[in-house]
Amino acid sequence: MTDISEIRLETRRLILRPPNADDFERWAAFHADAKSMTYLGGVQSRELSWRGLCGMVGAWHVRGFSMFSLLLKDSGQWIGRIGPWQPEGWPGTEVGWGIAPEYAGKGYALEAAVASMNYATDILGWTDICHTIDPENLASIKLAQRLGSSNRGPTQLPDPLSDARVDDWGQSREQWEENRLKFE
């Protein structure tokens, strides 16, 4: 298994790397923010946020992948989490995202999502990528559409999120091979 401390993706403006303990303060602030968490399961306490961070770090060790911490390249500022995600019972191999509200609308999510989609297909060998999105989350729907994903209909998340309304937006590896060309 690869040493996760060696995993690092860079885009023009961003660094994507596995989360670590240094991220906790910004991670906890993100998870405590009602706007950030509107479509991500709701506001979380510091304690629950800590467990979530540890779960992401643990998934890197158990599965060999998980979401990346998203950092601004010029300052090292943590601005969100994005990337491959498939906890037990998840409806598919997902590339998901969550960007702190003060960094929304600047193209960071798209830039990081493209890098994450490439990682999922090129490194992880995924043949399908989904994005589980609440039908009212217009910003995430717009991002999924920009990536070339389409709405494949309602799906269900595992507990404790089983009551959440989500649609399966996604595309096959072959579709991504075509769609990614517009970002190169």
Side-chain angles (χ1 to χ4, degrees), residues 92-123:
T93 47
E94 177 165 24
V95 168
W97 47 78
I99 305 294
E102 62 268 32
Y103 298 98
K106 300 177 190 299
Y108 296 133
L110 177 63
E111 192 173 324
V114 168
S116 295
M117 299 276 285
N118 288 339
Y119 186 84
T121 57
D122 299 347
I123 304 301

Side-chain angles (χ1 to χ4, degrees), residues 108-174:
Y108 296 133
L110 177 63
E111 192 173 324
V114 168
S116 295
M117 299 276 285
N118 288 339
Y119 186 84
T121 57
D122 299 347
I123 304 301
L124 300 177
W126 288 3
T127 58
D128 187 79
I129 297 174
C130 74
H131 322 289
T132 55
I133 302 175
D134 184 299
E136 295 181 16
N137 187 346
L138 301 181
S140 281
I141 290 170
K142 182 178 176 183
L143 178 55
Q145 290 171 329
R146 287 190 69 194
L147 292 167
S149 294
S150 59
N151 189 338
R152 302 186 290 197
T155 192
Q156 187 170 10
L157 301 176
D159 286 333
L161 303 170
S162 59
D163 290 336
R165 286 183 41 223
V166 293
D167 289 332
D168 171 10
W169 286 78
Q171 60 188 291
S172 69
R173 176 192 187 108
E174 291 77 20

